[in-house]
């Protein structure tokens, strides 16, 4: 089995980390594979929803592969190369036009949390834990990762997580807005499916437009302001808007293409 796999059923794609024996640790090859998967999803597959999950219930991902990281720590050049690949993969994940969901079952540390922060929704099992630990290695958290963290939990909590490197429980993560929902491990799949059902029932074009608008407002430079204005303007001419407005008037249920 591949250490990271992509499976597509209809309009739902699932990316799975398959290294339960290594606490789903991420190595350089896996980050590159994730970047390649994101290219396929954005350009060819074009799903409505992508679910990011991991094998087993001990860890979503414990972060970097310790064996590989140990080798890289001796070479700043290798560390920088690896960081470039990580940032490329995360940025591609963040910029996917579809809705993304992280199903977190267990420890979610370092790069694992970096992946989760790139997703639109984070649903966690009650036993999940969360931590960012570069400070313990004398390393910095990247600008991109730090920006996502601050935008998600706010500056005071981000400082505590970055400076102290202590693990948060799922309950604390929920209080800090790091996750959207906490459920029992046995209910994780159904909680994710509930979000999928709502997304599939909504307008695909509207969600894509909203995601692009939010990306612009959160200082993602991929879209200029003029294009955002056009997205809003064109929404009123879309088939989805016409269907939805007619359904609202007639008090009937709308079914989007």
């Amino acid at each position: 089995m591949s250490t990271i796999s992509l499976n597509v059923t209809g309009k739902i794609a699932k990316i799975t980390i398959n290294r339960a024996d290594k606490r789903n640790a991420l190595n350089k090859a896996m980050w590159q594979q994730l970047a390649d998967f994101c290219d396929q999803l954005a350009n060819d597959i074009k799903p409505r929803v992508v679910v990011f999950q991991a094998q087993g219930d001990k860890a979503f991902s414990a972060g970097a592969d310790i064996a590989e990281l140990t080798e890289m720590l001796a070479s700043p050049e290798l560390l920088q190369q690896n960081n470039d690949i990580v940032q490329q993969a995360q940025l591609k994940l963040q910029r996917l036009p579809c809705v993304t969901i992280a199903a977190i079952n267990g420890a979610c540390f370092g790069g694992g949390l970096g992946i989760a922060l790139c997703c639109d929704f984070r649903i966690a099992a009650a036993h999940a834990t969360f931590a960012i630990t570069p400070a313990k290695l004398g390393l910095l958290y990247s600008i991109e990762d730090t920006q996502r963290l601050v935008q998600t939990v706010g500056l005071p909590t981000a400082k505590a997580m970055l400076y102290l490197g202590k693990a948060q429980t799922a309950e604390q993560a929920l209080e800090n807005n790091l996750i959207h929902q906490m459920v029992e491990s046995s209910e994780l799949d159904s909680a994710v499916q509930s979000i999928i059902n709502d997304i599939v029932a909504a307008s695909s074009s509207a969600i894509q437009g909203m995601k692009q608008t939010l990306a612009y407002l959160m200082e993602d430079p991929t879209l200029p302001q003029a294009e955002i204005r056009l997205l809003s303007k064109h929404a009123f001419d879309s088939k989805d808007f016409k269907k939805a407005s007619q359904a609202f008037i007639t008090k009937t249920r709308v079914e989007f293409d």
Side-chain angles (χ1 to χ4, degrees):
M1 182 183 292
S2 174
T3 52
I4 183 168
S5 59
L6 170 63
N7 295 285
V8 182
T9 303
K11 288 294 183 179
I12 311 303
K14 292 185 178 181
I15 296 176
T16 308
I17 306 174
N18 301 303
R19 295 188 81 195
D21 59 323
K22 301 291 185 182
R23 291 177 61 80
N24 292 313
L26 298 155
N27 59 34
K28 183 178 178 181
M30 293 167 70
W31 283 111
Q32 185 59 63
Q33 186 67 70
L34 174 57
D36 294 341
F37 284 159
C38 288
D39 286 338
Q40 293 178 43
L41 291 165
N43 301 322
D44 302 320
I45 300 172
K46 299 179 181 179
R48 294 290 306 276
V49 180
V50 175
V51 178
F52 212 108
Q53 58 190 18
Q55 189 181 64
D57 61 1
K58 302 298 182 184
F60 177 75
S61 175
D65 184 298
I66 296 300
E68 187 178 72
L69 181 62
T70 301
E71 294 177 7
M72 290 181 180
L73 287 175
S75 171
E77 184 176 309
L78 286 177
L79 278 173
Q80 185 58 56
Q81 290 175 359
N82 184 68
N83 184 67
D84 290 344
I85 293 173
V86 171
Q87 294 310 314
Q88 179 190 53
Q90 289 186 349
L91 193 58
K92 288 184 176 184
L93 175 59
Q94 177 181 314
R95 290 178 178 173
L96 284 176
C98 57
V99 173
T100 51
I101 305 171
I104 303 165
N105 202 3
C108 185
F109 289 6
L113 183 51
I115 287 173
L117 285 169
C118 290
C119 293
D120 297 308
F121 292 94
R122 289 169 293 282
I123 313 301
H127 70 281
T129 52
F130 304 82
I132 300 169
T133 59
K136 293 185 177 182
L137 291 172
L139 298 173
L140 298 182
Y141 209 41
S142 74
I143 291 175
E144 295 85 357
D145 283 301
T146 303
Q147 182 184 43
R148 294 184 192 106
L149 180 66
V150 172
Q151 288 171 345
T152 302
V153 302
L155 187 58
T157 299
K159 286 181 177 180
M161 293 183 70
L162 291 168
Y163 298 172
L164 306 179
K166 292 183 177 180
Q168 289 189 13
T169 64
E171 186 174 359
Q172 290 170 325
L174 185 63
E175 291 174 356
N176 291 327
N177 296 318
L178 186 60
I179 60 175
H180 296 84
Q181 188 177 355
M182 180 183 71
V183 297
E184 293 303 317
S185 183
S186 60
E187 299 172 354
L188 186 58
D189 289 344
S190 60
V192 170
Q193 187 60 49
S194 179
I195 295 177
I196 291 173
N197 293 342
D198 288 340
I199 295 300
V200 171
S203 163
S204 176
S205 61
I207 289 176
Q208 287 184 23
M210 284 185 250
K211 185 162 183 175
Q212 289 176 315
T213 301
L214 289 168
Y216 170 77
L217 292 175
M218 301 311 285
E219 300 181 311
D220 187 324
T222 55
L223 283 174
Q225 186 174 3
E227 189 167 343
I228 289 295
R229 300 296 183 194
L230 282 175
L231 282 171
S232 297
K233 182 178 179 180
H234 289 163
F236 291 106
D237 297 323
S238 70
K239 272 196 311 183
D240 284 346
F241 175 74
K242 291 175 182 177
K243 274 189 174 184
S245 59
Q246 184 61 31
F248 179 81
I249 293 170
T250 59
K251 296 182 179 180
T252 56
R253 179 180 177 181
V254 60
E255 292 187 6
F256 296 108
D257 295 333

